C-alpha cells in the first residue's frame, strides 16, 4: 500500500499524477483581498459570432466581487505597510518578513481569522483522505451491459456503508470508473475527516482499519446480493466463495492523506472525467459521481 500523494491507484496500477501548486494561507488570502478591493476590472473579451472574433471593449467594468473593507480586512491590508495615514502607502512597504510575521499574528486570532474567512467566502480547511479501490475483477464482466449493474451496486453500496459509519467523515464524494479499456470497474473517494474525531480517524486510517472496514462492508453487501442474477465472475459451486478476496492484496485499496487545500481540490477535480490527465482517462464516462463534497 503506497501513500505517495503523487500516485493514485487506478485500475490496479499506481499511476503518477502531477502535484498542483500549493499556495500558502497568506497568499490565498492576499489574492482574494486584492480581487475584492478592485472597484473596476478589465472587461473580458466577448465572442462576436458575426465577426467570428473576440471583441475587446477596452474599458474597465465594475468588479462584481468588490466589497468595502471591514475592519478585519483593513487590518490585513495595513499589515503590508508601516505608515497608514497617507494617500500613498505603497511608498512605505514593510519587508516580506515583517509582513509575514504580522499576518501570521492576525491569523492566530480566531476572531479575526473567522471574520476574514467570512468576508472572503473561504471554507475552513479540514484534512481529507483519498481512498482508491481496484478490485481484482478485470475482464470478468461487461460494465456497460446489464451484467455490470450488480458489480456497480456492490462497489457503491460497500463504499457508502463505509463512509456513513461511525461519523468518521463530515462530507465525501466518490466516483466509479470503467478504466482505459472499459473492462476494469474501480473507484476513487475523497472524504473530509470529521474534525470532532480527527485523532481517532487518523488512527483508523494509519492502522489500515479503513481497508478492513471496506472489506467487511463488501462482504455484507455481497451476501445481500446472493439471490440476484450473477455474471460469470460469480460462477462456481459457491457464489460467495472467495469473492471477499477481490478486495484483498497489496494494491486493492490505497489511501493518501490530503493535508493542504490545494491537494484536496486537485483530488476532487480528479473525480470528474473531463479533468483527467493523460494516462488516466477512461474509455468512456460512467457518469457515476456521488456525494456532497
Amino acid at each position: 500500500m503506497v501513500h505517495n500523494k503523487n500516485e493514485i491507484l487506478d485500475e490496479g496500477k499506481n499511476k503518477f499524477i502531477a502535484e498542483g501548486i500549493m499556495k500558502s494561507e497568506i497568499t490565498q488570502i492576499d489574492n482574494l483581498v486584492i480581487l475584492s478591493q478592485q472597484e473596476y476590472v478589465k472587461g473580458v473579451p466577448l465572442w462576436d459570432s458575426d465577426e467570428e472574433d473576440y471583441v475587446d471593449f477596452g474599458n474597465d467594468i465594475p468588479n462584481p466581487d468588490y466589497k468595502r473593507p471591514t475592519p478585519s480586512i483593513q487590518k490585513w491590508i495595513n499589515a503590508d505597510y508601516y505608515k497608514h495615514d497617507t494617500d500613498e502607502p505603497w511608498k512605505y512597504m514593510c519587508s516580506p518578513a515583517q509582513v509575514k510575521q504580522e499576518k501570521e499574528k492576525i491569523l492566530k486570532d480566531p476572531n479575526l481569522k473567522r471574520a476574514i474567512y467570512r468576508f472572503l467566502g473561504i471554507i475552513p480547511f479540514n484534512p481529507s483522505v483519498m481512498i482508491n479501490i481496484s478490485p481484482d475483477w478485470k475482464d470478468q464482466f461487461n460494465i456497460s451491459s446489464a451484467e455490470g449493474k450488480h458489480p456497480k451496486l456492490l462497489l457503491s453500496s460497500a463504499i457508502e456503508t463505509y463512509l456513513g459509519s461511525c461519523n468518521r467523515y463530515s462530507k465525501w464524494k466518490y466516483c466509479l470508473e470503467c478504466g482505459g479499456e472499459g473492462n476494469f470497474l474501480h473507484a476513487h473517494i475523497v472524504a473530509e475527516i470529521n474534525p470532532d474525531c480527527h485523532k481517532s480517524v487518523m488512527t483508523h486510517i494509519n492502522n489500515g482499519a479503513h481497508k478492513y472496514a471496506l472489506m467487511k462492508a463488501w462482504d455484507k453487501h455481497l451476501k445481500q446480493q446472493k439471490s440476484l442474477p450473477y455474471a460469470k465472475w460469480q460462477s462456481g459451486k459457491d457464489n460467495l466463495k472467495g469473492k471477499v478476496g477481490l478486495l484483498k492484496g497489496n494494491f486493492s485499496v490505497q489511501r493518501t492523506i490530503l493535508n493542504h487545500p490545494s491537494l484536496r481540490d486537485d483530488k476532487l477535480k480528479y473525480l470528474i472525467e473531463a479533468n483527467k490527465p493523460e494516462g488516466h482517462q477512461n474509455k468512456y464516462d460512467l457518469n457515476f459521481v456521488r456525494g456532497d463534497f
Side-chain angles (χ1 to χ4, degrees):
M1 182 185 297
V2 298
H3 309 315
N4 189 330
K5 62 180 178 293
N6 293 333
E7 287 186 345
I8 287 180
L9 180 68
D10 192 37
E11 302 182 67
K13 299 177 182 178
N14 288 315
K15 297 181 180 179
F16 175 81
I17 183 170
E19 180 179 322
I21 298 174
M22 291 193 291
K23 297 179 181 179
S24 70
E25 184 178 24
I26 289 176
T27 300
Q28 181 191 19
I29 293 174
D30 278 342
N31 291 343
L32 292 173
V33 167
I34 290 171
L35 178 61
S36 74
Q37 296 309 296
Q38 293 176 327
E39 293 191 53
Y40 295 91
V41 294
K42 187 173 178 59
V44 177
L46 298 177
W47 179 255
D48 188 323
S49 57
D50 293 329
E51 296 293 332
E52 295 187 346
D53 197 2
Y54 286 99
V55 177
D56 188 346
F57 296 97
N59 299 322
D60 289 343
I61 61 173
N63 178 11
D65 295 314
Y66 171 74
K67 292 187 287 186
R68 291 180 61 84
T70 58
S72 59
I73 292 297
Q74 192 61 57
K75 186 182 288 287
W76 184 270
I77 294 171
N78 290 345
D80 288 334
Y81 316 106
Y82 61 85
K83 186 175 181 180
H84 309 135
D85 55 344
T86 173
D87 294 331
E88 299 178 322
W90 55 87
K91 292 183 178 180
Y92 307 94
M93 293 287 294
C94 295
S95 70
Q98 289 173 321
V99 172
K100 183 174 183 289
Q101 183 179 26
E102 186 60 28
K103 290 184 175 179
E104 285 177 344
K105 182 180 177 182
I106 292 173
L107 291 175
K108 286 180 180 178
D109 185 315
N111 293 319
L112 287 174
K113 182 173 181 176
R114 192 178 303 111
I116 290 170
Y117 269 47
R118 187 184 303 115
F119 180 90
L120 298 173
I122 299 175
I123 301 173
F125 173 73
N126 292 311
S128 299
V129 61
M130 184 176 199
I131 301 176
N132 306 295
I133 306 173
S134 290
D136 185 17
W137 57 13
K138 184 178 180 180
D139 274 328
Q140 295 302 302
F141 51 86
N142 186 335
I143 299 172
S144 62
S145 72
E147 70 174 351
K149 174 183 176 181
H150 300 302
K152 284 188 281 190
L153 177 62
L154 170 60
L155 184 52
S156 63
S157 298
I159 289 171
E160 293 190 21
T161 293
Y162 168 70
L163 292 173
S165 63
C166 302
N167 201 32
R168 296 186 186 102
Y169 305 108
S170 47
K171 50 188 174 181
W172 46 264
K173 182 172 284 187
Y174 75 93
C175 68
L176 300 189
E177 299 178 348
C178 68
E181 299 176 4
N183 59 354
F184 197 160
L185 183 65
H186 60 283
H188 302 291
I189 307 166
V190 178
E192 181 184 75
I193 297 171
N194 187 342
D196 294 334
C197 48
H198 179 269
K199 184 176 180 180
S200 64
V201 176
M202 286 303 300
T203 299
H204 165 83
I205 294 170
N206 289 331
N207 288 344
H210 64 293
K211 178 175 181 177
Y212 295 102
L214 278 163
M215 291 170 62
K216 184 177 180 180
W218 171 283
D219 190 21
K220 170 186 173 183
H221 289 286
L222 184 63
K223 289 179 179 178
Q224 290 176 351
Q225 289 191 33
K226 65 182 179 180
S227 62
L228 299 174
Y230 278 79
K232 62 182 179 179
W233 64 276
Q234 286 96 352
S235 63
K237 293 181 180 180
D238 182 354
N239 281 343
L240 297 179
K241 185 177 180 180
K243 300 315 170 193
V244 179
L246 293 172
L247 275 187
K248 287 184 178 178
N250 290 334
F251 300 109
S252 59
V253 180
Q254 174 223 41
R255 61 84 173 167
T256 302
I257 299 298
L258 310 174
N259 279 321
H260 193 280
S262 295
L263 287 175
R264 174 202 61 193
D265 294 345
D266 282 347
K267 299 304 185 282
L268 283 170
K269 289 177 183 177
Y270 183 87
L271 302 184
I272 308 302
E273 184 64 29
N275 299 329
K276 299 285 187 186
E278 185 176 353
H280 292 253
Q281 297 98 335
N282 294 278
K283 186 173 183 179
Y284 54 89
D285 190 352
L286 292 180
N287 292 310
F288 199 112
V289 181
R290 303 289 187 271
D292 58 356
F293 207 149

